[in-house]
Amino acid sequence: MHKKATGMILSYHPVIPGDVNRLCAGREPDEEDRRWMQRAAAILLPQGCSESLYRMAVRHCRHVFPNYRMRFLYPGKIGDIRLFRALGLPHPVSHVFHSVKHCPASFWNDLRYPVVLKSAYGGEGSLVFKVESAQEVCKPLTIFEGMERSGFGGFVVQPFVENDGRDLRVVVIGGTVISYWKVQRDPTNFLHNTSRGAVIDGKSDPDMQEEGRAWVRFLCRRTGINLAGLDLLFPDRTLHPGPPPLFLEINYYFGRKGLGGSERFYALLEREARAWLQALGLFDAQPPPTDGNKATRSSP
C-alpha cells in the first residue's frame, strides 16, 4: 500500500492510522482540531463520533468517512421512524411521542394489544418492553419519565408483529454488506438480541437474507449511510404470505459478535476505509481482501 502525495489524511479513529492522528474522546473539538481539518484532504472518524466533531469535520473537509449525516439529522429511534417514513420504507405502524406528558391517557385505551414500547435511546434490546394491556404501561412509562429527566426523552409505540422468533441484522461497512439472523431460543422472550439470549445464524434462508440486504442497499443509496447495523423483521409469512421485511431500527454503534468479533470488524473497517481513500486517489492500492465469510462487497 503506497500513499500518494496528494493530501494529508487526518484520523480520529483509534485503530486506523492517518498521516496525522488525533483523539477527541471525552472532549469537544477545539481550534487545533479545526486547523488540522482545514488542511486535510480526508478525515476518518470513530464509531463513537460526537455530533460536534462530525459537524466540524464536514464543515472544513469535503471527504469524511464514515458518512454520519443521517445519524445526526435523524437521531435515535424516533429519527429512524422519521427516516423510514421519508423514504417510504416498510416498517411497523409507529406512534412517536417526545415525552410522556405528550401522550394522552386515552391513547392506551384505543390500542390493540400486545404492543411494543421503545425508548428513543438505548440499544441491544435495552429499554424495550412488550405490554399486553393498558394496565401494563405504567412501569415502562415511569422509566421513560426518568430518562426524560436525564435529557433522553421520547419513545415509540408499535404493534407486536408476529414473527418466527428472529430478526435479520444487516451490517454495512463501506461497500461491504453482511447479514445474519439473530434467533431467540427462549420462546418466552420476544427480544432477538444476543445480549438477551439470541444466537447467531448466518446460513439459514439465504434468499430471505439477500432480500433484506437488497432493501438495506436501497436505503444506503438514498442516504449515503456507510457504517451501520440495521435490523429488519420478516412478518410470519405463514400468516401473511409475501410481505416485505420491516425496518426496525438503525444502529450506528453495534455489536460485533455476528461479524466474528472485534478483530474481524476492525479488519473489515480498515479495508473499507482504505478502499474509500483509494477511490479518492489518496492511495495507490488497497490491502488484500480480509477473509470474507458472508461478506459481499457492493456499492450501497
Side-chain angles (χ1 to χ4, degrees):
M1 180 171 64
H2 303 287
K3 182 183 182 301
K4 289 185 177 180
T6 54
M8 181 265 289
I9 299 167
L10 174 61
S11 178
Y12 283 87
H13 199 285
V15 175
I16 304 175
D19 298 308
V20 175
N21 303 287
R22 295 178 62 80
L23 294 177
C24 203
R27 68 175 180 87
E28 289 294 302
D30 55 24
E31 286 305 311
E32 188 173 357
D33 293 296
R34 189 187 307 276
R35 287 192 292 271
W36 282 114
M37 290 177 182
Q38 290 170 336
R39 296 172 55 189
I43 300 175
L44 303 175
L45 296 176
Q47 217 174 354
C49 178
S50 67
E51 183 171 4
S52 57
L53 179 61
Y54 176 73
R55 296 296 183 198
M56 182 180 285
V58 296
R59 186 178 302 120
H60 296 294
C61 183
R62 289 180 58 194
H63 304 299
V64 177
F65 180 90
N67 183 340
Y68 283 142
R69 183 170 181 266
M70 295 296 112
R71 175 179 179 172
F72 297 116
L73 189 60
Y74 294 95
K77 292 186 177 65
I78 290 178
D80 293 343
I81 299 302
R82 290 175 52 227
L83 179 59
F84 299 154
R85 288 173 175 171
L87 297 177
L89 293 171
H91 61 281
V93 174
S94 302
H95 305 274
V96 299
F97 299 96
H98 291 280
S99 70
V100 173
K101 70 180 181 181
H102 287 122
C103 178
S106 59
F107 168 77
W108 303 105
N109 297 324
D110 297 329
L111 292 178
R112 182 175 180 179
Y113 291 88
V115 296
V116 176
L117 279 65
K118 303 177 180 180
S119 168
Y121 299 90
E124 296 302 314
S126 64
L127 301 173
V128 179
F129 307 89
K130 179 183 177 184
V131 298
E132 302 287 347
S133 68
Q135 289 70 41
E136 293 184 15
V137 302
C138 293
K139 181 178 179 180
L141 291 183
T142 299
I143 294 172
F144 294 163
E145 285 179 321
M147 294 285 292
E148 289 175 29
R149 290 192 290 272
S150 300
F152 299 96
F155 62 96
V156 177
V157 183
Q158 298 172 331
F160 175 74
V161 178
E162 293 291 342
N163 61 85
D164 57 1
R166 62 182 181 173
D167 64 35
L168 186 69
R169 166 64 57 87
V170 180
V171 178
V172 177
I173 306 173
T176 293
V177 181
I178 303 170
S179 64
Y180 53 86
W181 300 103
K182 297 180 294 177
V183 185
Q184 180 54 260
R185 300 300 191 188
D186 179 359
T188 66
N189 193 339
F190 78 100
L191 295 169
H192 304 145
N193 307 88
T194 56
S195 59
R196 303 300 180 95
V199 298
I200 302 299
D201 174 8
K203 296 182 179 180
S204 297
D205 296 305
D207 291 345
M208 293 172 68
Q209 291 198 50
E210 176 51 38
E211 183 181 353
R213 292 194 298 269
W215 279 101
V216 168
R217 291 188 186 102
F218 173 80
L219 178 146
C220 291
R221 285 194 298 269
R222 295 286 302 275
T223 62
I225 290 173
N226 56 7
L227 183 63
L230 296 95
D231 290 331
L232 293 86
L233 185 68
F234 284 78
D236 189 340
R237 290 184 168 181
T238 62
L239 301 176
H240 311 285
L246 303 175
F247 281 85
L248 296 181
E249 60 184 61
I250 305 172
N251 304 278
Y252 295 97
Y253 198 87
F254 48 86
R256 299 159 188 171
K257 184 177 180 180
L259 300 174
S262 291
E263 184 176 349
R264 182 166 181 259
F265 166 72
Y266 285 126
L268 287 167
L269 181 61
E270 183 166 7
R271 184 188 76 178
E272 293 302 317
R274 299 309 179 199
W276 176 77
L277 291 168
Q278 184 191 23
L280 294 176
L282 298 178
F283 274 91
D284 287 324
Q286 67 182 64
T290 303
D291 175 23
N293 180 31
K294 298 180 186 60
T296 59
R297 244 192 142 260
S298 64
S299 298

Coordinates of all heavy atoms in Angstrom, one line a residue, residues 141-205:
L141 N -43.6 3.6 31.3 CA -43.7 5.0 31.2 C -43.0 5.7 32.4 O -42.4 6.8 32.2 CB -45.2 5.4 31.2 CG -46.0 5.1 30.0 CD1 -47.4 5.6 30.1 CD2 -45.4 5.6 28.7
T142 N -43.0 5.1 33.5 CA -42.2 5.6 34.6 C -40.7 5.6 34.3 O -40.0 6.6 34.6 CB -42.5 4.8 35.9 OG1 -43.8 4.8 36.2 CG2 -41.6 5.3 37.1
I143 N -40.2 4.6 33.7 CA -38.8 4.5 33.3 C -38.5 5.6 32.2 O -37.5 6.3 32.3 CB -38.5 3.1 32.7 CG1 -38.6 2.1 33.8 CG2 -37.1 3.1 32.1 CD1 -38.5 0.6 33.4
F144 N -39.5 5.8 31.3 CA -39.3 6.8 30.3 C -39.2 8.2 30.9 O -38.5 9.1 30.4 CB -40.4 6.7 29.2 CG -40.3 5.4 28.4 CD1 -41.5 5.1 27.6 CD2 -39.2 4.6 28.4 CE1 -41.5 3.9 26.9 CE2 -39.2 3.4 27.6 CZ -40.3 3.1 26.9
E145 N -40.1 8.4 31.9 CA -40.0 9.7 32.6 C -38.7 10.0 33.2 O -38.2 11.1 33.2 CB -41.1 9.8 33.6 CG -42.5 10.0 33.0 CD -43.6 10.0 34.1 OE1 -43.5 9.2 35.0 OE2 -44.6 10.8 33.9
G146 N -38.1 8.9 33.8 CA -36.8 9.0 34.4 C -35.7 9.4 33.3 O -34.8 10.1 33.6
M147 N -35.9 8.8 32.1 CA -35.0 9.1 31.0 C -35.1 10.5 30.6 O -34.1 11.2 30.4 CB -35.3 8.2 29.8 CG -35.0 6.7 30.0 SD -33.3 6.3 30.0 CE -32.9 6.6 28.3
E148 N -36.3 11.0 30.6 CA -36.5 12.4 30.3 C -35.8 13.4 31.2 O -35.2 14.4 30.8 CB -38.0 12.7 30.3 CG -38.8 12.1 29.1 CD -40.3 12.4 29.3 OE1 -40.7 13.4 29.9 OE2 -41.1 11.5 28.8
R149 N -35.9 13.0 32.5 CA -35.2 13.9 33.5 C -33.7 13.9 33.3 O -33.0 14.8 33.7 CB -35.6 13.4 34.9 CG -37.0 13.7 35.3 CD -37.2 13.5 36.8 NE -37.2 12.1 37.1 CZ -38.2 11.3 37.1 NH1 -39.4 11.8 36.8 NH2 -38.1 10.0 37.5
S150 N -33.2 12.9 32.6 CA -31.7 12.8 32.3 C -31.4 13.4 31.0 O -30.3 13.3 30.5 CB -31.2 11.4 32.4 OG -31.5 10.8 33.7
G151 N -32.4 13.9 30.3 CA -32.2 14.6 29.0 C -32.4 13.6 27.8 O -31.9 14.0 26.7
F152 N -32.9 12.4 28.0 CA -33.1 11.5 26.9 C -34.6 11.1 26.8 O -35.0 10.0 27.1 CB -32.3 10.2 27.2 CG -30.8 10.5 27.3 CD1 -30.2 10.6 28.5 CD2 -30.0 10.6 26.2 CE1 -28.8 10.9 28.6 CE2 -28.7 10.8 26.2 CZ -28.1 11.0 27.5
G153 N -35.4 12.1 26.3 CA -36.8 11.9 26.2 C -37.2 11.3 24.9 O -36.5 11.2 23.9
G154 N -38.5 10.8 24.9 CA -39.1 10.3 23.7 C -39.2 8.8 23.7 O -38.4 8.1 24.3
F155 N -40.3 8.3 23.1 CA -40.5 6.8 22.9 C -41.4 6.5 21.7 O -42.0 7.4 21.2 CB -41.1 6.2 24.2 CG -42.4 6.7 24.6 CD1 -43.6 6.0 24.2 CD2 -42.6 7.9 25.3 CE1 -44.8 6.5 24.6 CE2 -43.8 8.4 25.7 CZ -45.0 7.6 25.3
V156 N -41.3 5.3 21.3 CA -42.1 4.8 20.1 C -43.0 3.7 20.6 O -42.6 2.8 21.4 CB -41.1 4.3 19.1 CG1 -41.9 3.7 17.9 CG2 -40.2 5.4 18.6
V157 N -44.2 3.7 20.1 CA -45.2 2.6 20.3 C -45.5 1.9 19.0 O -45.9 2.6 18.0 CB -46.5 3.1 21.0 CG1 -47.4 1.9 21.3 CG2 -46.1 3.9 22.2
Q158 N -45.3 0.6 19.0 CA -45.6 -0.2 17.7 C -46.4 -1.4 18.1 O -46.3 -2.0 19.2 CB -44.3 -0.6 17.1 CG -43.4 0.5 16.6 CD -42.1 0.1 16.1 OE1 -41.5 -0.9 16.6 NE2 -41.5 0.8 15.2
P159 N -47.2 -1.9 17.1 CA -47.9 -3.2 17.4 C -46.9 -4.3 17.4 O -45.8 -4.2 16.7 CB -48.8 -3.4 16.2 CG -48.2 -2.5 15.1 CD -47.6 -1.4 15.8
F160 N -47.1 -5.3 18.2 CA -46.2 -6.5 18.2 C -46.5 -7.3 16.9 O -47.6 -7.6 16.6 CB -46.5 -7.4 19.4 CG -45.7 -8.7 19.3 CD1 -44.4 -8.7 19.6 CD2 -46.3 -9.9 19.0 CE1 -43.6 -9.9 19.6 CE2 -45.6 -11.1 19.0 CZ -44.3 -11.1 19.3
V161 N -45.4 -7.5 16.1 CA -45.6 -8.2 14.8 C -45.2 -9.6 15.0 O -44.2 -10.0 15.5 CB -44.6 -7.5 13.8 CG1 -44.7 -8.3 12.4 CG2 -44.9 -6.0 13.6
E162 N -46.2 -10.5 14.7 CA -46.0 -11.9 14.8 C -44.9 -12.3 13.8 O -44.8 -11.9 12.6 CB -47.3 -12.7 14.4 CG -48.4 -12.5 15.4 CD -48.1 -13.2 16.7 OE1 -47.2 -14.0 16.8 OE2 -48.8 -12.8 17.7
N163 N -43.9 -13.1 14.3 CA -42.7 -13.5 13.5 C -42.3 -14.9 13.9 O -42.9 -15.5 14.8 CB -41.6 -12.4 13.7 CG -41.2 -12.3 15.1 OD1 -40.3 -13.1 15.6 ND2 -41.8 -11.4 15.9
D164 N -41.2 -15.3 13.4 CA -40.7 -16.7 13.6 C -39.6 -16.7 14.7 O -38.8 -17.6 14.7 CB -40.3 -17.4 12.3 CG -39.2 -16.6 11.6 OD1 -38.8 -15.5 12.1 OD2 -38.8 -17.0 10.5
G165 N -39.5 -15.7 15.5 CA -38.6 -15.7 16.6 C -37.2 -15.3 16.2 O -36.2 -15.6 16.9
R166 N -37.1 -14.5 15.2 CA -35.8 -14.0 14.8 C -35.9 -12.7 14.0 O -37.0 -12.4 13.5 CB -35.0 -15.0 13.9 CG -35.8 -15.3 12.6 CD -35.1 -16.4 11.8 NE -35.9 -16.6 10.5 CZ -35.5 -17.4 9.5 NH1 -34.4 -18.0 9.6 NH2 -36.3 -17.5 8.4
D167 N -34.8 -11.9 14.0 CA -34.8 -10.8 13.0 C -33.5 -10.8 12.3 O -32.5 -11.6 12.7 CB -35.1 -9.4 13.7 CG -34.1 -9.0 14.7 OD1 -32.9 -9.3 14.6 OD2 -34.5 -8.4 15.7
L168 N -33.4 -10.1 11.3 CA -32.2 -10.1 10.4 C -31.4 -8.8 10.7 O -31.9 -7.7 10.6 CB -32.6 -10.1 8.9 CG -31.4 -10.3 7.9 CD1 -30.8 -11.7 8.0 CD2 -31.9 -10.0 6.5
R169 N -30.1 -9.0 11.1 CA -29.2 -7.9 11.2 C -28.4 -7.8 9.9 O -27.8 -8.8 9.4 CB -28.2 -8.1 12.4 CG -27.0 -7.2 12.4 CD -27.3 -5.8 12.6 NE -28.1 -5.5 13.8 CZ -27.5 -5.2 15.0 NH1 -26.2 -5.3 15.2 NH2 -28.3 -4.9 16.0
V170 N -28.4 -6.6 9.3 CA -27.6 -6.4 8.1 C -26.6 -5.3 8.4 O -27.0 -4.2 8.8 CB -28.5 -5.9 6.9 CG1 -27.7 -5.6 5.7 CG2 -29.6 -7.0 6.6
V171 N -25.3 -5.6 8.3 CA -24.3 -4.7 8.7 C -23.7 -4.1 7.4 O -23.3 -4.9 6.5 CB -23.2 -5.4 9.5 CG1 -22.1 -4.4 9.8 CG2 -23.8 -5.9 10.8
V172 N -23.5 -2.8 7.4 CA -22.9 -2.1 6.2 C -21.6 -1.5 6.7 O -21.6 -0.7 7.7 CB -23.8 -1.0 5.7 CG1 -23.1 -0.2 4.6 CG2 -25.2 -1.6 5.2
I173 N -20.5 -1.9 6.1 CA -19.2 -1.3 6.4 C -18.6 -0.9 5.1 O -18.1 -1.7 4.3 CB -18.3 -2.4 7.1 CG1 -18.9 -3.0 8.3 CG2 -16.9 -1.7 7.4 CD1 -18.1 -4.1 9.0
G174 N -18.7 0.4 4.8 CA -18.2 0.8 3.5 C -19.1 0.2 2.4 O -20.3 0.2 2.3
G175 N -18.4 -0.5 1.5 CA -19.1 -1.2 0.4 C -19.3 -2.7 0.7 O -19.8 -3.4 -0.2
T176 N -19.1 -3.1 1.9 CA -19.3 -4.5 2.3 C -20.6 -4.6 3.1 O -20.9 -3.8 3.9 CB -18.2 -5.0 3.2 OG1 -17.0 -5.1 2.5 CG2 -18.5 -6.4 3.8
V177 N -21.4 -5.6 2.7 CA -22.7 -5.8 3.3 C -22.8 -7.2 3.8 O -22.6 -8.2 3.0 CB -23.9 -5.5 2.3 CG1 -25.2 -5.8 3.0 CG2 -23.8 -4.1 1.7
I178 N -23.0 -7.4 5.1 CA -23.1 -8.7 5.7 C -24.4 -8.9 6.5 O -24.9 -7.9 7.1 CB -21.9 -8.8 6.8 CG1 -20.6 -8.6 6.1 CG2 -21.9 -10.2 7.5 CD1 -19.4 -8.4 7.1
S179 N -25.0 -10.1 6.4 CA -26.2 -10.3 7.1 C -26.2 -11.6 7.9 O -25.4 -12.5 7.5 CB -27.4 -10.4 6.1 OG -27.3 -11.5 5.2
Y180 N -27.0 -11.7 8.9 CA -27.1 -12.9 9.7 C -28.4 -12.7 10.6 O -28.8 -11.6 10.9 CB -25.9 -13.1 10.6 CG -25.5 -11.9 11.5 CD1 -26.1 -11.7 12.8 CD2 -24.6 -11.0 11.1 CE1 -25.8 -10.7 13.6 CE2 -24.2 -9.9 11.9 CZ -24.8 -9.8 13.1 OH -24.5 -8.7 13.9
W181 N -28.9 -13.9 10.9 CA -30.1 -13.9 11.8 C -29.7 -13.9 13.2 O -28.7 -14.4 13.6 CB -30.9 -15.2 11.5 CG -31.4 -15.4 10.1 CD1 -30.9 -16.2 9.2 CD2 -32.5 -14.7 9.5 NE1 -31.6 -16.1 8.0 CE2 -32.6 -15.2 8.2 CE3 -33.5 -13.8 10.0 CZ2 -33.6 -14.8 7.3 CZ3 -34.5 -13.4 9.1 CH2 -34.5 -13.9 7.8
K182 N -30.5 -13.2 14.0 CA -30.4 -13.2 15.5 C -31.7 -14.0 15.9 O -32.8 -13.5 15.8 CB -30.4 -11.8 16.1 CG -29.2 -11.0 15.7 CD -29.2 -9.6 16.3 CE -30.4 -8.8 15.8 NZ -30.5 -7.5 16.4
V183 N -31.4 -15.2 16.4 CA -32.5 -16.2 16.7 C -32.7 -16.3 18.2 O -31.8 -16.7 18.9 CB -32.2 -17.6 16.1 CG1 -33.4 -18.5 16.3 CG2 -31.9 -17.4 14.6
Q184 N -33.9 -16.1 18.7 CA -34.2 -16.2 20.1 C -34.7 -17.6 20.4 O -35.7 -18.1 19.9 CB -35.3 -15.2 20.5 CG -35.7 -15.3 22.0 CD -34.5 -15.1 22.9 OE1 -33.9 -16.1 23.4 NE2 -34.0 -13.9 23.1
R185 N -33.9 -18.4 21.2 CA -34.2 -19.7 21.5 C -35.2 -19.9 22.7 O -35.9 -20.9 22.9 CB -33.0 -20.5 21.9 CG -31.9 -20.6 20.8 CD -32.4 -21.2 19.6 NE -31.3 -21.5 18.7 CZ -31.5 -22.0 17.4 NH1 -32.7 -22.2 17.0 NH2 -30.5 -22.2 16.6
D186 N -35.4 -18.8 23.5 CA -36.3 -18.8 24.6 C -37.7 -18.3 24.1 O -37.8 -17.1 23.8 CB -35.8 -17.9 25.7 CG -36.7 -17.8 26.9 OD1 -37.8 -18.5 26.9 OD2 -36.4 -17.1 27.9
P187 N -38.7 -19.1 24.0 CA -40.0 -18.7 23.5 C -40.7 -17.7 24.4 O -41.6 -17.0 23.9 CB -40.8 -20.0 23.4 CG -40.2 -20.9 24.4 CD -38.7 -20.6 24.4
T188 N -40.2 -17.5 25.6 CA -40.9 -16.5 26.5 C -40.3 -15.1 26.3 O -40.7 -14.1 26.9 CB -40.7 -16.9 27.9 OG1 -39.4 -16.9 28.3 CG2 -41.3 -18.3 28.2
N189 N -39.2 -15.0 25.5 CA -38.5 -13.7 25.3 C -38.7 -13.3 23.9 O -38.4 -13.9 22.9 CB -37.0 -13.9 25.6 CG -36.3 -12.6 25.7 OD1 -36.8 -11.5 25.2 ND2 -35.1 -12.6 26.3
F190 N -39.4 -12.1 23.7 CA -39.7 -11.6 22.4 C -38.5 -10.8 21.8 O -38.5 -10.5 20.6 CB -40.9 -10.7 22.5 CG -40.6 -9.3 23.0 CD1 -40.5 -8.2 22.1 CD2 -40.5 -9.1 24.3 CE1 -40.2 -6.9 22.6 CE2 -40.3 -7.8 24.8 CZ -40.1 -6.7 23.9
L191 N -37.5 -10.5 22.5 CA -36.3 -9.8 22.0 C -35.4 -10.8 21.3 O -35.2 -11.9 21.7 CB -35.6 -9.1 23.1 CG -36.4 -7.9 23.8 CD1 -35.7 -7.5 25.1 CD2 -36.6 -6.8 22.9
H192 N -34.7 -10.3 20.2 CA -33.9 -11.1 19.4 C -32.4 -10.7 19.6 O -31.6 -11.0 18.7 CB -34.3 -11.0 18.0 CG -35.7 -11.4 17.7 ND1 -36.5 -10.8 16.7 CD2 -36.5 -12.3 18.3 CE1 -37.7 -11.4 16.8 NE2 -37.7 -12.2 17.7
N193 N -32.1 -10.0 20.6 CA -30.7 -9.5 20.8 C -29.8 -10.6 21.4 O -30.3 -11.4 22.3 CB -30.7 -8.3 21.7 CG -31.6 -7.2 21.2 OD1 -32.8 -7.3 21.6 ND2 -31.1 -6.3 20.4
T194 N -28.6 -10.7 21.0 CA -27.7 -11.7 21.6 C -27.4 -11.4 23.1 O -27.2 -12.4 23.8 CB -26.3 -11.7 20.9 OG1 -25.7 -10.3 20.9 CG2 -26.5 -12.1 19.4
S195 N -27.5 -10.2 23.5 CA -27.4 -9.9 24.9 C -28.6 -10.4 25.7 O -28.5 -10.5 27.0 CB -27.3 -8.4 25.1 OG -28.4 -7.7 24.6
R196 N -29.7 -10.8 25.0 CA -30.8 -11.4 25.7 C -31.0 -12.9 25.4 O -32.1 -13.4 25.4 CB -32.1 -10.6 25.3 CG -32.0 -9.1 25.6 CD -31.8 -8.8 27.0 NE -31.8 -7.4 27.3 CZ -32.8 -6.7 27.7 NH1 -34.0 -7.2 27.8 NH2 -32.6 -5.4 27.9
G197 N -29.9 -13.5 25.0 CA -30.0 -15.0 24.8 C -30.1 -15.4 23.3 O -30.2 -16.6 23.1
A198 N -30.3 -14.5 22.4 CA -30.4 -14.9 21.0 C -29.0 -15.5 20.5 O -28.0 -15.1 21.0 CB -30.8 -13.8 20.1
V199 N -29.1 -16.3 19.5 CA -27.9 -16.9 18.9 C -27.8 -16.4 17.4 O -28.8 -16.1 16.8 CB -27.9 -18.5 19.0 CG1 -27.9 -18.9 20.4 CG2 -29.1 -19.0 18.2
I200 N -26.6 -16.5 16.9 CA -26.3 -16.0 15.6 C -26.4 -17.2 14.6 O -26.0 -18.3 14.8 CB -24.8 -15.5 15.5 CG1 -24.6 -14.3 16.4 CG2 -24.5 -15.0 14.0 CD1 -25.5 -13.1 16.2
D201 N -27.1 -16.9 13.5 CA -27.3 -17.9 12.4 C -27.0 -17.2 11.1 O -27.9 -16.4 10.6 CB -28.7 -18.5 12.4 CG -29.0 -19.5 11.3 OD1 -28.0 -19.7 10.5 OD2 -30.1 -19.9 11.1
G202 N -25.9 -17.4 10.5 CA -25.6 -16.8 9.2 C -25.9 -17.5 8.0 O -25.7 -17.0 6.9
K203 N -26.5 -18.8 8.1 CA -26.6 -19.6 7.0 C -28.1 -19.8 6.5 O -28.4 -20.0 5.3 CB -26.0 -21.0 7.3 CG -24.5 -21.0 7.5 CD -24.0 -22.4 7.8 CE -22.5 -22.4 8.0 NZ -22.0 -23.7 8.2
S204 N -29.0 -19.8 7.4 CA -30.4 -20.1 7.1 C -31.0 -19.1 6.1 O -30.7 -17.9 6.2 CB -31.3 -20.2 8.4 OG -30.8 -21.2 9.2
D205 N -31.9 -19.6 5.3 CA -32.7 -18.8 4.4 C -31.9 -17.8 3.6 O -32.2 -16.6 3.8 CB -33.9 -18.2 5.2 CG -34.8 -19.2 5.7 OD1 -35.4 -20.1 4.9 OD2 -35.1 -19.2 6.9

